């Protein structure tokens, strides 16, 4: 078990391309996370919850949020 997983709630004040696994690992069992997730140029407000070792997200609306510096998804190979 992760002894550092102790936060009941984490708020990301901005948008990310994907919720970092490092943040999910900090959530206690039943812990929640709120963030903006960038999906093809549209930022979706999401709520996440850690339960039974799994983590799930639910979209609750759209928002205009700045991208958190350093939270960009690495560029992927494309033809």
């Amino acid at each position: 078990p992760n002894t550092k997983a102790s936060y009941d709630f984490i708020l990301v004040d901005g948008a990310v391309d994907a919720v970092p696994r490092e943040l999910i690992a900090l959530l206690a069992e039943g812990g929640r996370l709120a963030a903006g997730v960038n999906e093809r140029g549209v930022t979706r407000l999401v709520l996440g919850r850690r339960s039974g070792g799994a983590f799930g997200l639910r979209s609750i609306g759209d928002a205009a949020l700045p991208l958190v510096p350093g939270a960009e998804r690495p560029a992927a190979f494309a033809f």
Side-chain angles (χ1 to χ4, degrees):
N2 185 354
T3 59
K4 295 182 182 183
S6 60
Y7 292 98
D8 293 322
F9 184 77
I10 295 174
L11 172 65
V12 178
D13 189 15
V16 293
D17 283 340
V19 177
R21 284 184 243 157
E22 295 84 2
L23 284 181
I24 296 168
L26 293 174
L27 287 171
E29 177 67 20
R32 296 175 186 222
L33 180 139
V37 175
N38 189 15
E39 295 179 356
R40 291 179 242 139
V42 177
T43 302
R44 311 268 186 225
L45 291 176
V46 297
L47 291 176
R49 184 174 188 152
R50 185 175 183 173
S51 179
F55 180 76
L57 287 174
R58 173 175 56 130
S59 179
I60 60 171
D62 298 345
L65 296 171
L67 192 61
V68 174
E72 302 88 1
R73 182 173 285 147
F77 179 79
F79 286 98

